[in-house]
Amino acid sequence: MRAGLEPTITLTDEGEWWVARDTETGVTSHGQTRHEAIDNLDEALAGYHGEGDVPTDDELRAAGIDPENNESGSLDDSEMFE
């Protein structure tokens, strides 16, 4: 967080889901209750800020990712985000 800036979270009722968004980072999450949406946003923000564990090869495979071809790189180099 930048100095002098207070974090701001918006919370909106989207029918079946509550949507929580951190306005500074743009990180957004949702849940079926307000509490769940905020808890999920906390978890998403932790990941955004680099917290968490590196996935195991088995976890990558379960997500449909071949661990042998898993590389981190710039989003600018990804065709997915064009």
Side-chain angles (χ1 to χ4, degrees):
M1 178 169 47
R2 291 180 296 231
L5 234 158
E6 290 293 322
T8 303
I9 296 172
T10 60
L11 189 61
T12 54
D13 182 356
E14 299 287 332
E16 289 185 40
W17 298 101
W18 282 90
V19 177
R21 180 176 187 270
D22 175 71
T23 57
E24 180 186 355
T25 62
V27 173
T28 304
S29 193
H30 68 282
Q32 292 182 320
T33 65
R34 291 168 43 156
H35 183 67
E36 187 177 280
I38 291 170
D39 283 349
N40 290 340
L41 180 62
D42 285 343
E43 184 178 341
L45 283 166
Y48 176 86
H49 291 294
E51 297 175 25
D53 299 320
V54 176
T56 66
D57 285 356
D58 287 339
E59 290 170 329
L60 290 171
R61 285 187 195 95
I65 299 169
D66 180 355
E68 300 299 320
N69 294 323
N70 183 34
E71 294 180 14
S72 294
S74 169
L75 292 178
D76 295 335
D77 297 334
S78 174
E79 293 177 7
M80 179 183 290
F81 296 101
E82 289 183 350

